Amino acid sequence: MARWRDGHGELTVRGEGGGSPVRVPLEIATSYRARTKGLLGRDSLDGALLLSPASGVHTFRMRMPIDVAYLDRRLRVVAVRTMPPGRLGLPRLRARHVIEAEAGAMAGWGLRAGVRVEVRVGVAREGE
């Protein structure tokens, strides 16, 4: 697996039964500083945020509830949880990466336990 760096990319969630994939703008946070900052101080997020490496998150000092997907080393979703502000999520044993998004977004993308995702780096976002 390639090593990612802080930046932007695209998350692809494959539809079940060969359905059309969902492509989501992705921010990538791999440095200690970027992972620590995460979504703190934000009121919204366009797309998702990938934290790597990570096996758990917290929502202390966050302004909004978030969806959290825990991924294993093969980018398969281990679990998805919605967390309100001010909570500490327990680390997941097999999790190597975490995806965060606004609460409710992941259900719309079809992101749930057992689904495998793809990450593409360097994908330009609109307006850039």
Side-chain angles (χ1 to χ4, degrees):
M1 170 153 326
R3 285 178 82 66
W4 299 310
R5 293 182 178 199
D6 292 348
H8 296 283
E10 182 178 75
L11 176 72
T12 303
V13 181
R14 297 278 172 203
E16 280 197 2
S20 60
V22 176
R23 299 187 195 297
V24 179
L26 185 67
E27 293 179 34
I28 301 170
T30 61
S31 68
Y32 176 79
R33 184 176 188 174
R35 290 191 326 263
T36 302
K37 183 177 182 203
L39 296 177
L40 294 178
R42 296 199 201 181
D43 293 318
S44 65
L45 173 66
D46 176 31
L49 173 67
L50 171 69
L51 304 171
S52 180
S55 61
V57 297
H58 69 82
T59 58
F60 298 118
R61 296 180 25 223
M62 285 201 183
R63 299 179 180 175
M64 61 183 175
I66 60 171
D67 283 346
V68 179
Y70 300 88
L71 308 177
D72 67 12
R73 68 182 70 236
R74 292 188 175 92
L75 302 183
R76 187 169 305 278
V77 178
V78 175
V80 176
R81 298 287 180 261
T82 299
M83 294 177 60
R87 299 294 163 89
L88 175 64
L90 296 175
R92 299 287 167 161
L93 187 60
R94 295 182 335 217
R96 296 295 181 264
H97 319 283
V98 172
I99 297 174
E100 298 179 341
E102 288 188 14
M106 291 184 182
W109 303 334
L111 196 63
R112 62 186 168 286
V115 170
R116 190 157 181 224
V117 300
E118 295 174 14
V119 173
R120 287 183 45 211
V121 296
V123 177
R125 297 173 47 159
E126 280 188 36
E128 289 187 330

